[in-house]
Amino acid sequence: MKSNLLNIQGVTVLSKKTQKMVKGQKGVDISLCDCSCSGSVTGPIYCSWYIACPQVYTCQETF
């Protein structure tokens, strides 16, 4: 199987040192996270892992 992969154009064998430098995690964009007026976290699912919103209603405030 290894020999078949080496026949594909653009494939290179990584050394152990190079493998340690590879990061296998996608970056997280916190700028997509926000709070709704009801106090719930909005945005991608990971937003609730990074931010918390105050549990107060701020919708349609009248003074």
Side-chain angles (χ1 to χ4, degrees), residues 14-24:
L14 300 176
S15 67
K16 294 270 184 189
K17 184 179 178 181
T18 309
Q19 289 178 16
K20 289 180 182 179
M21 295 187 314
V22 173
K23 296 186 179 193

Side-chain angles (χ1 to χ4, degrees), residues 20-61:
K20 289 180 182 179
M21 295 187 314
V22 173
K23 296 186 179 193
Q25 182 174 344
K26 185 178 177 186
V28 176
D29 188 3
I30 302 295
S31 68
L32 299 174
C33 305
D34 202 4
C35 297
S36 69
C37 61
S38 64
S40 59
V41 177
T42 60
I45 190 72
Y46 59 79
C47 288
S48 60
W49 304 337
Y50 292 100
I51 69 167
C53 299
Q55 298 297 314
V56 292
Y57 282 89
T58 57
C59 302
Q60 302 173 356
E61 289 184 359

